[in-house]
Amino acid sequence: MSLNVPLQLTQLESGATVATEMTLGVHCLGAIPAGFNSTAPVQHVSLPILGDAADALNEVWHVSHACSGGQFEDIAYRRTEDVLFGSLAIDEARLAVEDGSSRLHAATESAYRQIFALLAAEGFSYLWRTWNYLPAIHEEECGLERYRQFNIGRHQAFSAFARPVDSSPAACALGTATGPLSIAFIAGRQASTRIENPRQVSAFAYPSQYGPRSPTFTRAATAPNGDGEILFISGTASIVGHETLHHGNVVAQTRETVANLAALLERANRGRASSPYQWNDLIYRVYIRHAQDYAVVRQTLEGLLGSAIQAVYMQAEVCRHDLLVEIEALAFKPSKATPS
Ligand code: 3EB
């Protein structure tokens, strides 16, 4: 199968119209830009943007020819021969559940069952990356924190479709103040190559103190893209082993997070001696729990990675109470790694 139509990502200029037939999907985090109009799937999450409001995140996945697509239950999707982007939002209030059972659990399980059913129907077996946003992530529901209910629902859908947890996608999961459960994803016809972090216990193997079902994500993955590849780095935080480090110290947490990102880059760069991923190749999303930490997080990050990095900073609830910052990233390379 030809893989000669690489996926690209561009930041939407304010006021620009999307080349709709060549657009695979869009992420709008923060306000939707004025005049924006898309027939392609859009993941819209209203997170507060930190710094200049004009720095809202409006990313467009596109290719150089027309895509096909449609609607599958709650999912809007577009696809090429090689990749499929989808987005869905589920209003929990709309769901009928039995007394005493969690609406978020039900919504998450339904969302992931829909995703896996669509991928089976379209022949895209490999889930590369998911972006999960859920309201009130720390609130209790049916005696358990909602992030943990989310994890149970996600895990059950993986089991129902016989997807082993160690084949999980790269991912992020963040809390929003309001809005529906919102999930976007990219899947491929070909497998991604998963990367774990030697400094961290794999998330899918976390001990049960973090909830009855573990989060199903891998720390990073590379995916084939034309003659090159895409690197997806999952939400990364100040966790070593499985424990949060540097309670209450956002500067130290930012530094530890960068050490984790460096460990992932080191792995991703095996077999890439001539064209390694470098800090400036990455496009970052930086989630900060307390908006007032923005200046110090940015200063710390730019001090370590340089002030030329391309990053959008947002206020969001990171999924453990004691985590103050979480950073995810992606990058494109025109060539693949050569297996050593
Ligand atoms: C962590 O390392 C931080 O549940 O999909 C990061 C990325 C985190 C993805 C997810 C959670 C998820 O455990 C939290």
Side-chain angles (χ1 to χ4, degrees), residues 237-262:
S238 178
I239 295 173
V240 175
H242 56 73
E243 280 165 357
T244 301
L245 294 193
H246 318 298
H247 289 88
N249 183 341
V250 73
V251 170
Q253 287 202 9
T254 304
R255 291 179 172 277
E256 200 69 60
T257 300
V258 169
N260 281 326
L261 294 172

Side-chain angles (χ1 to χ4, degrees), residues 132 147 151 154 171-173 206 215 217 219 235 239 319 323 326:
N132 303 283
Y147 174 59
N151 276 322
R154 182 170 53 171
C172 59
Y206 278 165
F217 71 96
R219 299 297 181 184
I239 295 173
C319 61
L323 291 174
E326 183 172 295

Side-chain angles (χ1 to χ4, degrees), residues 16-77:
T17 45
V18 180
T20 50
E21 71 282 4
M22 295 193 284
T23 302
L24 207 59
V26 184
H27 302 276
C28 292
L29 274 64
I32 293 187
F36 172 74
N37 163 358
S38 173
T39 53
V42 180
Q43 180 175 45
H44 177 235
V45 183
S46 31
L47 287 178
I49 301 298
L50 303 174
D52 189 342
D55 295 339
L57 184 144
N58 296 294
E59 287 173 347
V60 181
W61 292 99
H62 59 95
V63 291
S64 56
H65 66 94
C67 308
S68 60
Q71 186 77 26
F72 180 88
E73 300 180 31
D74 294 317
I75 304 171
Y77 70 96

Side-chain angles (χ1 to χ4, degrees), residues 17-153:
T17 45
V18 180
T20 50
E21 71 282 4
M22 295 193 284
T23 302
L24 207 59
V26 184
H27 302 276
C28 292
L29 274 64
I32 293 187
F36 172 74
N37 163 358
S38 173
T39 53
V42 180
Q43 180 175 45
H44 177 235
V45 183
S46 31
L47 287 178
I49 301 298
L50 303 174
D52 189 342
D55 295 339
L57 184 144
N58 296 294
E59 287 173 347
V60 181
W61 292 99
H62 59 95
V63 291
S64 56
H65 66 94
C67 308
S68 60
Q71 186 77 26
F72 180 88
E73 300 180 31
D74 294 317
I75 304 171
Y77 70 96
R78 280 267 178 99
R79 48 161 286 194
T80 67
E81 281 302 305
D82 311 307
V83 291
L84 185 151
F85 178 98
S87 179
L88 74 168
I90 296 187
D91 177 6
E92 295 163 51
R94 198 188 75 191
L95 288 182
V97 293
E98 283 169 35
D99 283 355
S101 78
S102 159
R103 282 206 154 79
L104 181 61
H105 168 171
T108 308
E109 186 175 345
S110 167
Y112 274 90
R113 281 175 174 269
Q114 290 181 38
I115 291 170
F116 294 141
L118 169 65
L119 297 187
E122 293 284 330
F124 289 78
S125 302
Y126 302 99
L127 190 54
W128 290 351
R129 176 52 157 118
T130 64
W131 290 263
N132 303 283
Y133 297 92
L134 43 142
I137 194 166
H138 296 312
E139 261 170 45
E140 292 245 326
E141 189 168 286
C142 306
L144 197 65
E145 187 193 47
R146 279 166 52 83
Y147 174 59
R148 298 177 180 207
Q149 296 283 14
F150 166 86
N151 276 322
I152 298 172

